[in-house]
Amino acid sequence: MLRAAPLLVVLAFLAACSSTLPNRDPVGEAFPAVTGTSLAGETVSLPPGEPAILLVGYVQEAQFDADRWLIGLLQVGPPVRVLEVPTIEGLVPSALSGTIDEGMRSGIPSEDWSSVVTLYGDAAAPVVAMTGDTNPRNMRVVLVDGAGVVRWFHDRGFSAGK
């Protein structure tokens, strides 16, 4: 949930500096064991050790897709936790993580901060490698089971039918 305009410029620059990995379907694979920080300041391990839906996004422009998925999911009321996972590779974003997180907090109500877990740098790389980052405006919707195995995956943009 990245909404600050200056942040958009920084992320656009950083995205231009990164390489693109082909998209791939990770169903049946274990989600990488990584640690991120929620906007509430909590350290969060992923996968979370329980069934969960992870909305993984690589660029600010994916927020539109995330919002559509979130609205649909909240209407359905899934019986599992839903986490939004901004995933930002590279050394420079890691150095700017405080600024990036503050930009996200400014556009997200505080009661939702614990459901946004950002992965930077080394924590982001294995997630990007698992899903690919071609068409980065599309969220990667990942359903993991309690053991952290990917059971369902979608990366082609919001689909009401899915």
Side-chain angles (χ1 to χ4, degrees):
M1 294 187 165
L2 307 174
R3 293 199 169 103
L7 187 57
L8 175 61
V9 174
V10 171
L11 289 177
F13 169 75
L14 296 173
C17 297
S18 64
S19 61
T20 301
L21 295 174
N23 288 0
R24 55 185 301 279
D25 184 346
V27 169
E29 299 176 21
F31 191 88
V34 294
T35 302
T37 304
S38 76
L39 292 181
E42 306 153 336
T43 299
V44 178
S45 295
L46 296 176
E50 62 185 354
I53 297 171
L54 308 176
L55 298 175
V56 179
Y58 299 128
V59 296
Q60 189 274 338
E61 292 88 355
Q63 189 58 53
F64 179 72
D65 199 35
D67 290 343
R68 293 184 298 169
W69 280 107
L70 287 167
I71 289 168
L73 288 167
L74 291 174
Q75 287 177 343
V76 170
V80 298
R81 187 173 180 195
V82 177
L83 294 172
E84 191 169 346
V85 187
T87 303
I88 309 167
E89 278 191 291
L91 186 58
V92 174
S94 295
L96 297 172
S97 63
T99 303
I100 295 170
D101 288 347
E102 197 53 43
M104 287 190 281
R105 279 188 207 96
S106 72
I108 300 171
S110 59
E111 61 268 19
D112 293 335
W113 289 357
S114 64
S115 66
V116 179
V117 178
T118 308
L119 303 177
Y120 289 103
D122 290 341
V127 176
V128 175
M130 180 189 74
T131 69
D133 59 358
T134 303
N135 300 322
R137 289 182 172 179
N138 295 346
M139 293 302 288
R140 276 57 177 163
V141 183
V142 183
L143 172 65
V144 294
D145 65 17
V149 174
V150 177
R151 295 298 173 193
W152 189 85
F153 177 78
H154 186 79
D155 67 352
R156 295 186 324 267
F158 175 74
S159 170
K162 292 290 180 176

